[in-house]
Amino acid sequence: MKEFEGLSVRPGDFYLPRQDVSMENWAVVACDQYTAQRDKWEEADRMAGSNPSALRLIIPEAYLDESEERVPRAQAAMTEYLEAGVLEKAVSGMVLLERTTQSGSRLGLVMTVDLEDYDFSRDSLSPIRPTEGTILSRIPPRQKVRRGARLELSHVLLLCDDPQKTVIEPVYARRSALRPLYDVDLMLDGGRARGWAVEDRDTLAQIAGAIRSLKEKLAPGGILFAVGDGNHSLATAKAHWEEVKARLPEGEKTDHPARFAMVELNNIYDPALIFEPIHRVLFHVTGDEALDMLSGAGVVRDDERPDLTLVTRRGDLKLRITRPLHDLPVGTVQQLLDQQPQIELDYVHGEDAVRLIVEKENGVGILLPAMEKSLLFPAVQNNGPLPRKTFSMGEANEKRYYMEARKIVKD
């Protein structure tokens, strides 16, 4: 559609299981979850059984060490599902998604992004940018899955900065006029997902117009979209496209399906999109030693306006940073900790968990504030990708589940 020219995103062709396939068995959580809990994936395998399932088309990262045997099986299953009609083209356009979890109902639009408008390098100025630094060594194992695959299934969550709620929410308000696609309870306590086809030209044009308005408000070099979840998966799609592009004649590079990647677009101001802090625990360190490590940021005691809290067995110290190294407290803390590679460090969700570890272990906790949503885009704009483990968007069971599939090779 011409309306999407210059917007870095566009509609796509999306496949879903035919109607007689159980969506409860089909949908499965993102492959980068439960990496240390194979029992979760074993449970998913038992639940899927011999039924068609997205689980057969992915490689959970808990099993990346078994890629040599798992990748050919997944790619063969893609061909089998396509040729047997298990997967059918269900939507030419976008998919409106309502995902209900313990945090509420999150709204999204499944669409495609132009990988030519995405750059995951630290000094990127592209319209689509990562929110966390890309570890290059994590890309090649993932490329093995995408290289030779006929389909992609995506857990990438793309964020737009839309405080007036102009892009996604108006589509949801008119959902009764859209064709229902699925309404399913998700395995492994994933909550519920409902989807609708967004195919009529007027609605798609309204989406494009709203995105264009967001773009027109940006300062030169501003960020239109930020990758919230699935940073390394989108980086892998980009690396794969560069490989494919290098082999293509010029005339085939414009619309080759590998140039585009499937994402779910979310509004950063969606109330069900929760930004949770990720705290730090330093082992075999005293409170005084931790204070010394943080001295490079000019920390001072401040019970009224603290930027962080030091948790020790002797009590808490509320600290304010007077010489910040980053726009966010977590960025300043991480830079200082990175200068102490000898320190045994863990990243912990939840204040109670930090306090429990400090009480049981010989260590000190650093409680960090939740990041204000309004700070995400400016922070990435000013500093580049955020330090690792800056925030988490919900719990593992709230991450995107694989539902739709999309072809990434030409027939």
Side-chain angles (χ1 to χ4, degrees):
M1 290 180 62
K2 287 185 177 180
E3 289 87 347
F4 285 92
E5 289 181 1
L7 295 183
S8 305
V9 297
R10 71 179 201 177
D13 292 333
F14 300 106
Y15 287 68
L16 285 168
R18 64 180 182 235
Q19 289 190 347
D20 63 328
V21 173
S22 166
M23 290 298 287
E24 284 85 358
N25 294 318
W26 174 262
V28 68
V29 71
C31 67
D32 61 346
Q33 300 304 303
Y34 306 119
T35 54
Q37 297 172 270
R38 286 196 175 187
D39 59 306
K40 288 283 189 180
W41 291 104
E42 291 165 0
E43 183 180 352
D45 184 66
R46 287 193 297 271
M47 296 179 75
S50 59
N51 301 287
S53 176
L55 181 59
R56 309 306 173 208
L57 308 181
I58 67 167
I59 313 297
E61 293 191 7
Y63 299 100
L64 274 182
D65 59 340
E66 300 176 10
S67 292
E68 291 301 321
E69 58 189 82
R70 285 179 173 266
V71 168
R73 290 208 305 264
Q75 293 175 347
M78 292 177 188
T79 297
E80 177 189 345
Y81 285 2
L82 286 170
E83 294 183 352
V86 172
L87 280 169
E88 300 175 332
K89 186 163 72 172
V91 178
S92 289
M94 297 182 181
V95 176
L96 171 67
L97 174 68
E98 180 187 38
R99 174 72 181 283
T100 302
T101 67
Q102 64 266 24
S103 297
S105 292
R106 183 185 79 223
L107 305 181
L109 279 174
V110 179
M111 56 180 64
T112 68
V113 298
D114 187 348
L115 294 169
E116 288 292 309
D117 288 343
Y118 163 67
D119 177 7
F120 57 79
S121 63
R122 172 155 288 279
D123 56 354
S124 171
L125 296 177
S126 61
I128 305 170
R129 293 187 214 169
T131 55
E132 71 176 29
T134 302
I135 302 172
L136 296 181
S137 62
R138 293 181 63 182
I139 295 178
R142 291 155 181 79
Q143 274 185 283
K144 289 182 180 179
V145 182
R146 200 171 184 91
R147 192 182 290 132
R150 295 180 66 182
L151 298 169
E152 68 167 349
L153 293 89
S154 175
H155 63 269
V156 177
L157 297 183
L158 199 67
L159 303 176
C160 62
D161 190 354
D162 184 19
Q164 301 304 315
K165 300 183 177 180
T166 62
V167 178
I168 303 169
E169 291 80 2
V171 184
Y172 181 74
R174 299 192 300 273
R175 64 192 179 280
S176 61
L178 303 176
R179 175 167 57 91
L181 295 170
Y182 48 77
D183 186 350
V184 57
D185 289 320
L186 302 171
M187 66 170 68
L188 301 181
D189 299 316
R192 193 167 189 84
R194 295 200 294 167
W196 298 265
V198 183
E199 298 178 298
D200 67 283
R201 192 175 187 92
D202 287 346
T203 302
L204 291 170
Q206 288 170 6
I207 293 169
I211 294 173
R212 192 171 299 281
S213 293
L214 294 181
K215 182 177 181 179
E216 290 170 351
K217 295 174 185 176
L218 296 177
I223 303 171
L224 183 56
F225 301 112
V227 184
D229 261 355
N231 279 274
H232 285 86
S233 291
L234 197 60
T236 299
K238 172 72 170 183
H240 176 67
W241 164 236
E242 292 299 329
E243 276 189 355
V244 172
K245 181 171 66 171
R247 301 192 298 266
L248 293 176
E250 284 300 321
E252 295 184 18
K253 294 180 181 179
T254 303
D255 290 315
H256 193 283
R259 173 173 170 162
F260 303 90
M262 177 168 55
V263 300
E264 177 190 329
L265 179 67
N266 298 142
N267 183 2
I268 195 173
Y269 292 101
D270 189 316
L273 198 63
I274 307 297
F275 280 22
E276 297 178 346
I278 303 177
H279 308 298
R280 275 63 172 160
V281 174
L282 316 181
F283 296 95
H284 312 296
V285 168
T286 67
D288 289 340
E289 289 170 335
L291 277 173
D292 186 58
M293 291 179 202
L294 298 172
S295 63
V299 292
V300 296
R301 181 128 188 202
D302 190 332
D303 292 336
E304 300 299 323
R305 297 179 298 145
D307 293 311
L308 57 96
T309 299
L310 208 63
V311 178
T312 74
R313 287 183 172 182
R314 293 185 297 173
D316 290 359
L317 280 177
K318 295 183 181 297
L319 303 173
R320 177 166 54 87
I321 296 170
T322 64
R323 296 196 301 272
L325 308 177
H326 192 278
D327 285 359
L328 302 175
V330 63
T332 293
V333 169
Q334 192 61 47
Q335 285 191 38
L336 294 172
L337 295 180
D338 286 345
Q339 297 170 16
Q340 307 286 336
Q342 78 282 4
I343 297 298
E344 184 182 350
L345 171 67
D346 197 9
Y347 301 91
V348 179
H349 295 261
E351 179 178 337
D352 290 345
V354 171
R355 294 187 181 281
L356 184 62
I357 294 171
V358 168
E359 184 64 30
K360 289 186 174 181
E361 306 285 345
N362 179 22
V364 172
I366 301 176
L367 297 179
L368 293 159
M371 186 175 68
E372 292 290 337
K373 292 181 176 183
S374 61
L375 297 180
L376 177 62
F377 277 65
V380 175
Q381 178 81 47
N382 297 333
N383 301 279
L386 301 178
R388 64 186 178 276
K389 305 294 185 182
T390 294
F391 68 95
S392 173
M393 295 202 321
E395 302 297 331
N397 63 315
E398 297 180 289
K399 303 298 183 179
R400 177 165 166 78
Y401 272 55
Y402 299 113
M403 306 288 288
E404 298 82 7
R406 176 181 162 271
K407 286 186 178 180
I408 56 173
V409 296
K410 283 197 170 182
D411 292 327

